[in-house]
């Protein structure tokens, strides 16, 4: 069965998200920092009147620090009912892969395999497919909700 994947890069590696998890892609915008949040939460953005917490995926995966460039983007996703922005180095394309070509993650990868749905193989590349619903632990999900409500309180 075919599956559409939004392909993006982080630290020169290719990653993917199921297209149904992606609401939109926005250019890297001004991010307001929130004190006392985990290092991987960059802050919040105001996207058309909605306060959205923004996560630096490089920091979340422990693969380096954010390097802002003209290609940097924020992928707006929904994680268990909460919209969030994911900072990536670049968004490349939407591809269609056969679900049968997705293999389970190897036991040794550069990121926690709890986040990895599998590895999609295409003719010339491998793409690490991310499981959004496992991206955060329960207490971190609570912090994301608080980040959104804090931003809303500040505007009232």
């Amino acid at each position: 069965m075919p599956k559409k994947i939004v392909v993006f890069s982080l630290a020169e590696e290719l990653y993917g998200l199921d297209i149904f998890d992606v609401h939109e892609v926005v250019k890297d915008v001004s991010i307001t920092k929130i004190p006392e949040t985990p290092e991987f939460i960059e802050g919040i953005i105001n996207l058309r009147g909605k306060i959205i917490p923004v996560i630096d995926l490089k920091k979340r995966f422990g693969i380096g620090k954010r390097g802002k460039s003209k290609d940097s983007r924020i992928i707006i996703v929904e994680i268990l009912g909460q919209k969030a922005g994911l900072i990536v180095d670049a968004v490349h394309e939407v591809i269609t892969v056969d679900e049968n070509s997705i293999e389970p993650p190897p036991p040794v990868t550069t990121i926690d395999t709890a986040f990895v749905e599998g590895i999609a193989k295409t003719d010339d590349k491998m793409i690490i497919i991310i499981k959004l619903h496992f991206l955060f632990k329960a207490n971190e999900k609570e912090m994301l909700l608080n980040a959104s409500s804090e931003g809303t309180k500040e505007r009232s």
Side-chain angles (χ1 to χ4, degrees):
M1 179 161 212
K3 180 175 188 155
K4 288 194 179 287
I5 297 172
V6 176
V7 179
F8 61 92
S9 57
L10 286 174
E12 300 181 26
E13 297 295 333
L14 294 177
Y15 293 85
L17 290 169
D18 188 304
I19 197 163
F20 292 114
D21 291 332
V22 176
H23 283 263
E24 65 183 293
V25 177
V26 296
K27 284 197 174 203
D28 199 5
V29 295
S30 176
I31 298 172
T32 302
K33 300 277 187 198
I34 295 182
E36 297 184 32
T37 56
E39 184 184 352
F40 64 87
I41 297 180
E42 280 294 301
I44 56 174
I45 60 172
N46 181 343
L47 186 64
R48 293 184 294 282
K50 300 260 191 232
I51 301 300
I52 297 176
V54 178
I55 292 93
D56 184 334
L57 279 186
K58 280 185 178 176
K59 288 181 184 174
R60 182 65 182 128
F61 294 157
I63 56 173
K65 293 194 175 201
R66 178 177 183 210
K68 198 171 182 176
S69 77
K70 66 178 179 58
D71 295 325
S72 296
R73 297 289 183 267
I74 299 175
I75 301 175
I76 306 299
V77 297
E78 190 166 314
I79 304 170
L80 300 175
Q82 168 66 41
K83 279 195 177 171
L86 306 175
I87 299 172
V88 301
D89 292 341
V91 174
H92 299 286
E93 61 187 329
V94 175
I95 63 168
T96 302
V97 296
D98 188 324
E99 286 187 10
N100 295 330
S101 72
I102 299 173
E103 295 189 7
V108 179
T109 63
T110 57
I111 62 174
D112 186 341
T113 56
F115 305 144
V116 179
E117 179 179 324
I119 310 294
K121 296 183 297 184
T122 65
D123 293 337
D124 57 344
K125 55 191 167 239
M126 290 191 293
I127 301 161
I128 301 168
I129 301 176
I130 304 300
K131 283 191 272 191
L132 279 180
H133 52 284
F134 289 118
L135 201 53
F136 303 102
K137 298 173 185 133
N139 63 329
E140 294 168 342
K141 288 175 191 163
E142 187 66 31
M143 276 187 262
L144 282 178
L145 288 171
N146 289 339
S148 287
S149 60
E150 287 298 317
T152 306
K153 285 180 201 167
E154 288 173 11
R155 294 183 319 159
S156 338

